[in-house]
Amino acid sequence: MSHDHAHDEHAPHAVPLGFLALIFGVLMVLTFVTVGVTKFDFGYSMNLVVAMAIALVKALLVGLYFMHLRWDAPINGFILVASLLFVTLFISFALLDTGAYAPTQAAAALRGSTP
Amino acid sequence: MSVIPTNPSPPSAPGTDVVKAKKGLYGDEDNYITHGKGILSWLLTIDHKRIGLMYMVCVLAAFFIGGIFAIALRTELIWPGQTLMPWAEANTNWKLYNQLFSVHGAVMVFMFIIPAIPAILGNFALPIMLGAKDVAFPRLNLLSWYCYVGGSLFFLWILTGGVVGTLFGLENMPWYFPKGIDTGWTFYTPYSTDTNTGVILATMGVFVLGFASILTGVNFIATIHMLRPRNMGWDRLPLMLWSLYATSVIQILATPVLAITMLLLLAERVLGIGVFDPAKGGDPVLYQHFFWFYSHPAVYIMILPAMGVISEVISVFSRKHIFGYSFIAASSLAIALFGFIVWGHHMFTSGQSPLLNSVFSLLTMSVAVPSAVKVFNWLATMYNGKIRLDTPMIYALGFIWLFTIGGLTGLPLAALSTDIHYHDTYFVVAHFHYVMVGSTLFGFLAGMYYWWPKMTGKMYNEKAGQIWAWMVFAGFNLTFFIQFIAGSLGAPRRYADYDPRFWKYHFISTLGSYVLMIGLFGVLYNWVSSWRSGKKAPANPWGANTLEWHTPSPPPHANFEDGHEPEGVPPYDYDGWDYVSEEEGYVRKEGYVYQGH
Amino acid sequence: MSTAHSDHDHPAHLAHHFETSAQQMESGKLGMWVFLATEILMFGGLFCAYAVYRANNPDVFLFAHRALDTTWGAINTAVLLASSFTMAWGVRAAQLGQKKLLIGLLIATLFGGAGFMLIKTVEYKAKWDHALFVGPSNAYYHDNGTLADPGEAAHSSEYIEKHGDTDGGHGGHGDDHGAGHGDAHAAGHGDSHAGDHGGDHGAQADAPAPAASKIAAPAAPPTGLHADLLTHKRPVLGAGESLSTGIGAIQASHKGSHYPAFTELDPLNTNRTHIFFQIYFAMTGLHGLHVLIGLGLISWICYRAGGPMTRALLVPGLFVSVGIYFVFVWWLVSANSGWFPTTALVAAVLCLIAGALWGAKNVALTKPNPDADSEFSPGYYTPVDCVGLYWHLVDLIWIFLFPLLYLIH
């Protein structure tokens, strides 16, 4: 709320149009990159890492500039980051666990019985 | 009198009784209850106080329904063999019992304990404690109530189907006429995908109830962040609000996972997607991860608000500044966060990997730390205090006692090796009833009695309140303490019948449940008679200093009198109030300036 | 936040319990962000299911994802990003009080979202045609270790293997494939999948028999096989080894970036093949639902931002749009038999007629009214901002869904 525009009472931070267009352009380029990069093979895990890294950059651009987090109250960004952390927590515990018993379970299901 | 800027009509004015006889319960007084007339002024209200009262009516009704099922369960278990079941002979194989405990669990958890304190007391007290006129999003608040009612209707639907099906012995009913629900409140797959009872309706109901919970959480977080008055930094936030804040954080982060779990279960039932069904290549343990990622934190949604109530009550009725304010506040947040990393302790025997079993066992122990911090701080607050054993305080002391027992018996359940023995026995039943009923229900009752004069503007009968409180306490312990012993001897839970050697334990437990029931009806009678014919409550009957006691009882429509701009005060500073016997309450000292404590 | 309120005149948009417009706006935004957190956690559950199944059945995901159409997926990403851009621009227009521009941008955003849903319909239709749909309408549907219809699964496998090779995004991988798949490569062009499905069916009729027998094998294994299944096929997921090692090793056994055929899948995993599609439909379905909700919210904002003429035309316009959508659906499914094409056509005609009549009535009755104007001003545009945030979140989720579902390799 600190930016001081002359023409209105609350002086919202209006992002310059050229800048928005630039972000949009970068997002489109990154979309092409993420498709194009599938022509190269870095190994199964690295492919996933590369794809997720590009997606993360895109998400950051959308969050920071389209969603105004760059200029917003920090609490809003904190909420976003915290929710992502909790999703990570959930997924990592579930992965850690299911990796250990999944083969047993799959074999049992294949037999047509429960483990 | 003149010092309180807030009392609209002198309480000692003669002739109030005559006015009351003519004009209903409040005479000419203009307060939030009399501010609008007619049923629509309630159903369309966006006043947080009225929404709190509407929640109170519905949640108490849900508690009544859940309670009936609890009594039916205990009655079935009073002797070995069939007790209630012959009456429902058409329901072969004890299926009725499964429906009884499922409905009892689901109604009590989703419709009573989770909304009880935040939605009733929180809705009522939170904005006033902040000196605000309303919550940040009043219309969402009303929507939350409608979501609660809408979700509850699904459960009523199931109940009706269950009753009709039981009485007439109808088998294989279609989904829109379900025969109750028999999965337990956890809806574990793959049973919940196979059973022909009302899982579809129950999941839809839980989904909608989840919205009610989320909307309340969004409201509370935004309100506490944005609507604090001048001079109220985070260090002057009453501890009730700290715990409601922590509760809201859990509601925000956990409830959506329940929503997606219910949606996937619904898809499982309707479309047969098989993600959780081992016969179709799915993973039933993954369902339990999903479910407990919500439902363990949900345990803290239940207990944290109760802890907030207790922090207020203990301090006020000890006439002493709360001990370790910042530690209690921080421990609320710590409990909220730790609550998210311990869910696997519900899954020790589910086939969860040994690695995660040990990790979750260790992490579970960590929750004991912030819980103990709270208990020690409450005890230290009471030390050397001038303790008044009014009804709220009796419940608060009961809370500490029961919560300590419930907490300590959690340790053997958290320890991996002992849990294998105690798993699925009455020890577990007793443990979680001590924490959820013993603690949350007692916290709820303490809070209800504490804010009752503020909510209704009437004093309750103190003597009767105390007697019923002791009866509830005795009945509760009689019901559940014996179950620890039965459980450690190996009595399994969730069975309609049992080995005759457990007869004594079950018999005593059932008798205790009757005592508890009578006590709770006594409490209800106490409230109803107070509302109908209680004495007018003073603005501050307890001498508390949080902002809701700076306004008349009941508060006016705008929460504070015109021209009274509430400011943050040190919430646990009691030196500024004098007891005035003509008022039968406390009155603010003239020109009092806070000196620090 | 709480200074100088006594002499502050109360604007119409300021609710009674706020002191300043700034406080109201910040509260609204905070509430919206908290709500977005719940959305993220809700989708988080689906991402968790995705992660668990992908980590434990990488070969299934490598095989099955090729049924998805990378070209359409990429186009949809671009469409959604573009609509996100117009939305962000719209918020800027609201902040600056450019009322006409705001309405134009909101309508552009609506078109973006509608375009996304249209393309999604085309994709879903292709899955339906090849028995790759949700629930038991999936050719790989398993119950108690038994494929429902091995013959159908063979058809679908052939489609997936062929489709994956011809799809634009994976052109480079065609070379790595064994001789068995080479012939399918010749027919490849990325964009025209919707049209040539009939040809696929013809091709499948030639040689389903050998494939079918192979598929049936894991469904009824000889009794002695179980111990082998447990120890043999999954050597890398032993205790103590990290999952990424496991996946890498499995991938290595598949020789680099080779995509497994259905018959090459780990027998333990074949009964989870349909789970990929269930997760795909759960994720994109829930996302699509959010797109629809977003479209509704943007329409609502557009209504509030508009003058009399916009308000008169908006709701009829929505009816016409839905009508056009049903015309499109009818065109897609018109070759099919059964009740669905007729229903789509009837719905389309009804929506179009209702929209046209209502619109004509509204236009005839609306008088130019200089007083009726946008509710939003540079001092009050919180709803635009909040709906914008919601729309960006929908975009954000798709940014992750696209590579996770379409670009597995």
Side-chain angles (χ1 to χ4, degrees):
Chain A
M1 291 288 97
S2 57
H3 291 252
D4 222 352
H5 291 243
H7 56 77
D8 61 59
E9 44 173 321
H10 288 299
H13 183 98
V15 191
L17 181 58
F19 190 67
L20 282 180
L22 175 72
I23 297 297
F24 174 58
V26 174
L27 286 171
M28 292 303 271
V29 169
L30 284 175
T31 306
F32 279 109
V33 169
T34 196
V35 175
V37 84
T38 58
K39 302 221 188 295
F40 305 94
D41 186 23
F42 311 103
Y44 182 80
S45 319
M46 271 316 284
N47 288 341
L48 179 64
V49 171
V50 169
M52 284 298 95
I54 296 174
L56 207 60
V57 172
K58 287 166 79 179
L60 269 179
L61 289 177
V62 171
L64 283 178
Y65 300 110
F66 281 6
M67 298 171 99
H68 300 158
L69 280 179
R70 171 85 169 67
W71 305 279
D72 241 0
I75 179 76
N76 296 345
F78 176 77
I79 291 170
L80 178 66
V81 173
S83 62
L84 291 176
L85 280 181
F86 276 86
V87 170
T88 316
L89 175 87
F90 181 31
I91 295 180
S92 43
F93 269 113
L95 272 182
L96 209 58
D97 184 38
T98 53
Y101 63 70
T104 328
Q105 211 173 44
L110 201 61
R111 287 197 298 272
S113 66
T114 41
Chain B
M1 175 67 219
S2 59
V3 198
I4 299 189
T6 49
N7 233 335
S9 63
S12 52
T16 11
D17 284 359
V18 185
V19 175
K20 187 172 68 190
K22 268 191 263 170
K23 297 220 172 183
L25 298 178
Y26 294 98
D28 285 332
E29 218 182 292
D30 180 37
N31 57 41
Y32 78 100
I33 297 175
T34 58
H35 191 73
K37 297 267 183 295
I39 185 81
L40 277 185
S41 79
W42 285 87
L43 291 179
L44 299 178
T45 184
I46 52 170
D47 180 356
H48 66 99
K49 302 181 286 300
R50 286 186 160 204
I51 294 171
L53 281 197
M54 279 149 60
Y55 253 119
M56 182 179 85
V57 172
C58 298
V59 169
L60 288 180
F63 184 47
F64 178 72
I65 294 172
I68 291 176
F69 283 87
I71 293 298
L73 283 176
R74 283 315 322 169
T75 307
E76 170 55 44
L77 293 169
I78 193 167
W79 319 108
Q82 294 189 331
T83 314
L84 276 182
M85 295 301 161
W87 169 71
E89 194 68 56
N91 252 304
T92 50
N93 299 330
W94 307 91
K95 277 181 191 164
L96 180 65
Y97 184 84
N98 296 345
Q99 297 181 9
L100 289 181
F101 76 69
S102 300
V103 174
H104 165 69
V107 167
M108 284 298 201
V109 168
F110 294 117
M111 286 161 63
F112 173 65
I113 310 187
I114 288 178
I117 300 179
I120 302 174
L121 300 172
N123 254 335
F124 181 86
L126 178 135
I128 318 184
M129 290 177 109
L130 286 172
K133 294 194 184 76
D134 210 322
V135 289
F137 312 113
R139 277 177 294 181
L140 286 189
N141 204 17
L142 182 64
L143 180 62
S144 155
W145 184 76
Y146 277 103
C147 283
Y148 175 81
V149 173
S152 306
L153 287 181
F154 282 99
F155 280 95
L156 282 184
W157 190 346
I158 292 169
L159 281 182
T160 318
V163 169
V164 174
T166 305
L167 289 181
F168 300 105
L170 304 172
E171 283 295 327
N172 295 322
M173 300 303 297
W175 69 268
Y176 48 83
F177 194 80
K179 275 187 57 179
I181 178 164
D182 64 352
T183 59
W185 75 282
T186 53
F187 310 114
Y188 273 5
T189 55
Y191 183 65
S192 58
T193 57
D194 292 340
T195 175
N196 67 345
T197 51
V199 176
I200 292 178
L201 289 174
T203 47
M204 290 198 281
V206 170
F207 186 83
V208 178
L209 286 173
F211 261 99
S213 191
I214 285 177
L215 290 173
T216 305
V218 171
N219 243 326
F220 284 3
I221 288 185
T223 310
I224 292 177
H225 268 283
M226 302 305 299
L227 290 176
R228 275 175 287 131
R230 219 184 341 233
N231 281 339
M232 189 188 280
W234 289 92
D235 57 334
R236 280 188 174 183
L237 206 58
L239 288 167
M240 173 75 179
L241 299 190
W242 272 105
S243 61
L244 283 177
Y245 185 78
T247 309
S248 304
V249 169
I250 308 177
Q251 283 175 322
I252 292 306
L253 292 173
T255 317
V257 177
L258 179 74
I260 196 66
T261 314
M262 291 297 126
L263 282 185
L264 282 174
L265 186 55
L266 204 60
E268 193 94 53
R269 292 281 308 202
V270 177
L271 304 170
I273 62 170
V275 172
F276 296 135
D277 188 346
K280 301 188 172 77
D283 183 347
V285 182
L286 185 63
Y287 174 85
Q288 299 190 17
H289 279 298
F290 269 64
F291 184 81
W292 289 112
F293 185 81
Y294 164 75
S295 291
H296 190 76
V299 172
Y300 300 108
I301 296 181
M302 305 168 196
I303 190 78
L304 269 171
M307 291 170 159
V309 172
I310 301 307
S311 303
E312 300 291 326
V313 169
I314 292 276
S315 172
V316 168
F317 289 87
S318 304
R319 308 302 306 149
K320 196 160 157 263
H321 193 286
I322 192 88
F323 185 89
Y325 170 89
S326 45
F327 277 86
I328 298 187
S331 65
S332 292
L333 289 180
I335 288 177
L337 297 182
F338 286 179
F340 276 95
I341 50 172
V342 301
W343 78 83
H345 67 227
H346 295 271
M347 300 163 59
F348 283 159
T349 59
S350 71
Q352 185 175 237
S353 63
L355 170 68
L356 269 253
N357 275 351
S358 346
V359 169
F360 276 125
S361 180
L362 268 175
L363 288 175
T364 301
M365 305 285 182
S366 69
V367 183
V369 176
S371 310
V373 164
K374 279 187 190 292
V375 172
F376 292 145
N377 278 308
W378 292 327
L379 296 180
T381 304
M382 286 193 288
Y383 177 74
N384 252 346
K386 293 194 217 53
I387 295 176
R388 281 175 57 182
L389 278 182
D390 285 334
T391 315
M393 187 61 169
I394 294 176
Y395 282 112
L397 295 178
F399 174 97
I400 295 180
W401 173 263
L402 301 176
F403 178 71
T404 306
I405 294 179
L408 289 178
T409 52
L411 293 177
L413 294 175
L416 205 45
S417 47
T418 40
D419 180 69
I420 305 296
H421 174 71
Y422 286 130
H423 171 75
D424 255 356
T425 66
Y426 268 91
F427 193 89
V428 180
V429 177
H431 161 70
F432 73 70
H433 278 91
Y434 261 83
V435 189
M436 284 155 80
V437 186
S439 309
T440 307
L441 179 66
F442 275 60
F444 172 65
L445 292 173
M448 282 294 285
Y449 272 108
Y450 178 62
W451 278 294
W452 184 262
K454 188 54 67 182
M455 289 167 82
T456 62
K458 304 291 176 100
M459 290 308 287
Y460 55 87
N461 184 333
E462 182 61 49
K463 259 276 153 331
Q466 292 182 15
I467 292 170
W468 296 125
W470 286 112
M471 188 154 176
V472 169
F473 183 76
F476 176 83
N477 280 297
L478 203 55
T479 312
F480 290 107
F481 195 85
I482 198 99
Q483 293 183 0
F484 282 123
I485 303 168
S488 52
L489 292 174
R493 65 190 279 214
R494 293 206 182 106
Y495 283 85
D497 197 5
Y498 50 85
D499 190 322
R501 75 194 162 99
F502 295 122
W503 172 73
K504 267 181 282 182
Y505 305 102
H506 278 294
F507 184 74
I508 293 173
S509 181
T510 303
L511 289 190
S513 72
Y514 297 155
V515 176
L516 179 58
M517 176 182 69
I518 295 169
L520 288 171
F521 274 117
V523 170
L524 184 66
Y525 174 77
N526 196 2
W527 290 345
V528 172
S529 66
S530 150
W531 203 333
R532 288 172 56 87
S533 55
K535 264 190 304 188
K536 176 156 176 44
N540 189 354
W542 315 125
N545 196 33
T546 41
L547 285 178
E548 79 272 30
W549 304 107
H550 291 238
T551 185
S553 312
H557 178 65
N559 287 353
F560 294 91
E561 298 275 85
D562 283 347
H564 178 63
E565 286 287 340
E567 283 188 28
V569 290
Y572 302 105
D573 166 42
Y574 304 118
D575 296 338
W577 296 84
D578 275 330
Y579 187 76
V580 176
S581 45
E582 307 93 75
E583 294 277 338
E584 300 190 25
Y586 287 77
V587 171
R588 195 135 175 84
K589 284 178 190 159
E590 217 157 340
Y592 172 76
V593 181
Y594 175 56
Q595 304 292 337
H597 77 280
Chain C
M1 193 98 342
S2 54
T3 48
H5 36 75
S6 46
D7 55 346
H8 199 290
D9 57 329
H10 244 60
H13 58 76
L14 185 59
H16 72 285
H17 55 291
F18 291 113
E19 289 175 358
T20 64
S21 295
Q23 186 192 23
Q24 182 173 8
M25 195 182 96
E26 289 293 305
S27 304
K29 267 191 169 163
L30 176 67
M32 194 63 204
W33 272 105
V34 174
F35 177 73
L36 293 187
T38 70
E39 293 281 11
I40 290 171
L41 263 294
M42 181 160 163
F43 274 97
L46 286 178
F47 280 106
C48 177
Y50 172 90
V52 164
Y53 280 101
R54 179 164 172 183
N56 295 309
N57 313 276
D59 48 347
V60 166
F61 275 63
L62 277 171
F63 161 73
H65 94 279
R66 298 206 297 159
L68 309 185
D69 203 317
T70 312
T71 313
W72 277 132
I75 292 174
N76 242 354
T77 313
V79 168
L80 210 53
L81 281 176
S83 77
S84 219
F85 168 62
T86 53
M87 190 71 225
W89 190 0
V91 171
R92 179 191 143 85
Q95 286 171 329
L96 299 178
Q98 302 161 325
K99 293 173 183 172
K100 287 250 159 57
L101 184 63
L102 171 61
I103 295 169
L105 287 168
L106 288 177
I107 291 176
T109 311
L110 283 175
F111 272 106
F116 180 89
M117 292 311 286
L118 274 184
I119 294 174
K120 211 76 224 143
T121 312
V122 173
E123 288 190 60
Y124 275 22
K125 162 78 167 46
K127 307 294 167 297
W128 172 261
D129 281 345
H130 296 279
L132 296 172
F133 211 59
V134 70
S137 338
N138 193 295
Y140 300 105
Y141 198 66
H142 261 261
D143 208 347
N144 275 322
T146 320
L147 262 180
D149 185 351
E152 198 173 36
H155 282 240
S156 298
S157 303
E158 196 172 320
Y159 164 72
I160 289 176
E161 281 149 32
K162 183 176 162 190
H163 177 270
D165 290 345
T166 58
D167 193 18
H170 292 307
H173 287 306
D175 308 331
D176 304 338
H177 280 251
H181 311 298
D183 51 348
H185 194 45
H189 27 64
D191 312 7
S192 59
H193 300 286
D196 56 20
H197 292 141
D200 297 352
H201 282 300
Q204 285 159 3
D206 297 337
S213 64
K214 273 185 193 164
I215 290 158
T223 345
L225 196 60
H226 305 145
D228 290 357
L229 287 177
L230 275 173
T231 49
H232 243 30
K233 283 284 187 176
R234 307 288 295 244
V236 284
L237 275 182
E241 261 185 291
S242 80
L243 282 167
S244 58
T245 334
I247 294 164
I250 286 179
Q251 179 59 23
S253 77
H254 284 307
K255 300 173 208 72
S257 60
H258 168 72
Y259 292 109
F262 184 61
T263 45
E264 294 173 276
L265 293 184
D266 187 333
L268 283 175
N269 293 344
T270 49
N271 67 338
R272 286 180 166 171
T273 310
H274 76 101
I275 301 266
F276 171 82
F277 293 96
Q278 316 292 12
I279 289 177
Y280 165 78
F281 282 105
M283 291 180 111
T284 57
L286 191 66
H287 179 261
L289 186 68
H290 279 79
V291 173
L292 285 181
I293 295 171
L295 289 178
L297 290 174
I298 294 170
S299 311
W300 172 62
I301 289 302
C302 196
Y303 186 87
R304 292 179 62 182
M309 205 39 99
T310 313
R311 293 188 184 195
L313 283 177
L314 187 74
V315 181
L318 288 180
F319 268 86
V320 171
S321 313
V322 175
I324 294 173
Y325 175 77
F326 276 121
V327 169
F328 179 74
V329 170
W330 169 76
W331 175 73
L332 266 187
V333 300
S334 53
N336 297 20
S337 56
W339 55 270
F340 193 65
T342 326
T343 316
L345 190 60
V346 170
V349 170
L350 286 181
C351 286
L352 287 174
I353 292 177
L357 289 180
W358 194 355
K361 184 209 116 193
N362 279 0
V363 170
L365 294 183
T366 304
K367 298 183 184 71
N369 179 1
D371 296 336
D373 196 9
S374 168
E375 282 184 35
F376 304 123
S377 65
Y380 175 66
Y381 60 92
T382 317
V384 186
D385 209 2
C386 287
V387 170
L389 288 178
Y390 182 86
W391 191 249
H392 295 313
L393 184 89
V394 169
D395 184 29
L396 221 115
I397 288 168
W398 183 258
I399 285 177
F400 284 96
L401 282 185
F402 172 59
L404 284 178
L405 290 169
Y406 290 76
L407 301 180
I408 303 171
H409 69 122

